[in-house]
Amino acid sequence: MESCAAYRCGVTMTDAHEPGNGYQPIACARYDVYESAITRRQRLQLVWNDAGMDHTQNVLPTDLETRAGEEFLIARDAHDQPLKIRLDKIRKATPL
């Protein structure tokens, strides 16, 4: 039986090694935190890195998305603006 990190929502460990992708699947426990926050409509304080810049924001997660072997958190920021954050870029997620 494969672990959920090895195969989840169309993401396989081999996807991380495809040219240009670089995605590193996250641990199941971290994925569960995002799913729970979406279900409970719970805000999270996220810390993530994108293009060499660190970000910290309180967000309302609304969905999880998989595209081309990469997983993303879809959320709304404090100004109700949409965000799409690749899961392996998130360094910390704290429920609020």
Side-chain angles (χ1 to χ4, degrees), residues 44-59:
L44 297 174
Q45 181 181 64
L46 297 182
V47 178
W48 76 96
N49 186 286
D50 183 35
M53 293 185 61
D54 290 328
H55 303 271
T56 302
Q57 287 192 38
N58 294 340
V59 305

Side-chain angles (χ1 to χ4, degrees), residues 16-83:
H17 304 292
E18 290 180 12
N21 184 322
Y23 180 73
Q24 296 296 313
I26 65 168
C28 294
R30 287 184 58 197
Y31 196 88
D32 290 346
V33 168
Y34 306 135
E35 283 185 324
S36 176
I38 292 164
T39 302
R40 296 170 50 207
R41 298 197 48 80
Q42 180 178 37
R43 291 192 165 277
L44 297 174
Q45 181 181 64
L46 297 182
V47 178
W48 76 96
N49 186 286
D50 183 35
M53 293 185 61
D54 290 328
H55 303 271
T56 302
Q57 287 192 38
N58 294 340
V59 305
L60 178 64
T62 58
D63 204 359
L64 291 160
E65 179 180 298
T66 301
R67 295 234 184 237
E70 298 175 327
E71 297 172 295
F72 297 89
L73 178 70
I74 310 302
R76 295 263 176 199
D77 70 11
H79 304 288
D80 203 33
Q81 296 299 307
L83 294 170

Side-chain angles (χ1 to χ4, degrees), residues 2-8 10-18 23-26:
E2 291 185 64
S3 71
C4 69
Y7 185 80
R8 177 181 58 235
V11 175
T12 62
M13 294 304 284
T14 57
D15 290 335
H17 304 292
E18 290 180 12
Y23 180 73
Q24 296 296 313
I26 65 168

